[in-house]
Amino acid sequence: MEKALPCTARCVTAWALCAAAGAHGASVFDASINRLFITSVSVNGASYQNVSATVNSFTLLGVDGGTAGVDSFNPSNNLLMLGSVVFQGTTYNNVRVQLNNFTLLAATQVTSVPNTPTTPPTPVTPVPTTPVVPTVPTVPDGALTAATTCSLSNFQTDLMALINQARASARTCGSTAYPAAPAVAWNSKLFHASAGHSADMASQNYFSHTSLDGRTFDQRITAAGYAWSTIGENIAAGQGSVSAVMDGWLASPGHCSNIMNSRFTEVGVACVVNNSSTYRSYWTMDLGRP
């Protein structure tokens, strides 16, 4: 059995560049793949680390070149402030950017811990050796509702049309060329797994392929009752329509590769909204082959 993850050799190279720049706190923008890496950024008072996003369209508002400030992002107007960013080998300070269209790929929220050095550490309770069976958050089993489709009309029909339209023609994802692939079919168990993860991200305000309780996407899909030989997952956050999320995924080499992978025969996609969360809408696409 194998699992497909949205990353390529070029992605690894860009991450290496990001790690090198992270030593002095600078963000990195790799124009060859439209990928932005931010070491740490403040969003509505919360702190996020190791942020990566595919930036499909942006407007540069200004660069003052002064002493580098802090990185911050305002999701209400998509205004990004980068205290320091490396672009084509040159470092620019205090860059203001309007993100017109982007796909968030990864981010880790930092939880503040009170500084109480005089407090004795809490004793560690031994972990039981009994295996823990992963569970799927409570969502309607296979049923598309307003809550699991971001209240978007024609959700499943529009998604299947755009997915299979993309697979119907040869396409280059990053630097990898893919031939046309057969159409995929909707699978209710994959949708159930997708809906569970989107609901979990939205309710707990995080963005990652790994759930906060440590579950990975293969565990979630297995727990949903899907017997697979090959699986993959795409996630996105902040998009308000089916066309916007598909545009973002197809513009990202790794996510595009999952969509064009001819080994996948079935798919399920969900979108869950929480107006109190950072990115409001959280999307999950699970692909598989029995």
Side-chain angles (χ1 to χ4, degrees):
M1 295 187 293
E2 57 184 311
K3 300 177 288 185
L5 290 171
C7 197
T8 63
R10 230 171 151 182
C11 171
V12 173
T13 302
W15 269 113
L17 176 60
C18 175
H24 55 80
S27 302
V28 174
F29 181 66
D30 185 344
S32 66
I33 55 174
N34 292 336
R35 190 67 51 80
L36 176 64
F37 303 93
I38 306 176
T39 304
S40 179
V41 62
S42 174
V43 181
N44 289 343
S47 180
Y48 294 81
Q49 292 182 347
N50 302 323
V51 177
S52 66
T54 298
V55 180
N56 304 308
S57 174
F58 67 92
T59 303
L60 180 63
L61 302 179
V63 180
D64 69 22
T67 302
V70 297
D71 296 342
S72 65
F73 178 68
N74 185 347
S76 66
N77 57 10
N78 287 345
L79 180 61
L80 177 65
M81 303 287 290
L82 293 174
S84 181
V85 60
V86 177
F87 175 66
Q88 294 183 345
T90 301
T91 300
Y92 299 88
N93 287 347
N94 300 322
V95 178
R96 293 183 297 118
V97 180
Q98 178 75 49
L99 300 183
N100 303 320
N101 184 297
F102 69 98
T103 301
L104 181 65
L105 304 177
T108 302
Q109 185 171 6
V110 180
T111 303
S112 299
V113 180
N115 184 17
T116 55
T118 59
T119 303
T122 303
V124 177
T125 302
V127 178
T129 56
T130 304
V132 177
V133 179
T135 59
V136 177
T138 303
V139 295
D141 190 1
L144 278 74
T145 67
T148 55
T149 60
C150 286
S151 298
L152 296 172
S153 59
N154 302 317
F155 183 84
Q156 180 181 352
T157 301
D158 290 348
L159 270 167
M160 294 305 296
L162 290 178
I163 292 170
N164 285 324
Q165 178 182 324
R167 289 170 65 91
S169 301
R171 182 180 300 270
T172 299
C173 301
S175 59
T176 304
Y178 288 87
V184 291
W186 186 268
N187 182 275
S188 61
K189 292 180 179 178
L190 288 175
F191 169 75
H192 185 49
S194 299
H197 190 48
S198 287
D200 194 46
M201 289 192 293
S203 64
Q204 300 200 66
N205 197 19
Y206 73 96
F207 183 78
S208 174
H209 286 285
T210 302
S211 305
L212 292 186
D213 60 8
R215 288 175 298 129
T216 54
F217 74 94
D218 57 315
Q219 292 175 315
R220 293 191 299 268
I221 292 173
T222 300
Y226 187 77
W228 51 271
S229 60
T230 302
I231 50 172
E233 181 172 86
N234 289 342
I235 57 176
Q239 292 79 8
S241 67
V242 167
S243 59
V245 76
M246 283 298 298
D247 286 345
W249 278 332
L250 290 174
S252 168
H255 297 81
C256 173
S257 296
N258 273 349
I259 292 172
M260 293 301 297
N261 192 330
S262 61
R263 292 172 297 178
F264 296 138
T265 59
E266 297 175 322
V267 67
V269 186
C271 178
V272 175
V273 168
N274 180 2
N275 290 322
S276 299
S277 62
T278 300
Y279 297 103
R280 189 175 180 273
S281 60
Y282 292 80
W283 297 75
T284 304
M285 170 190 283
D286 283 329
L287 306 103
R289 181 189 189 100

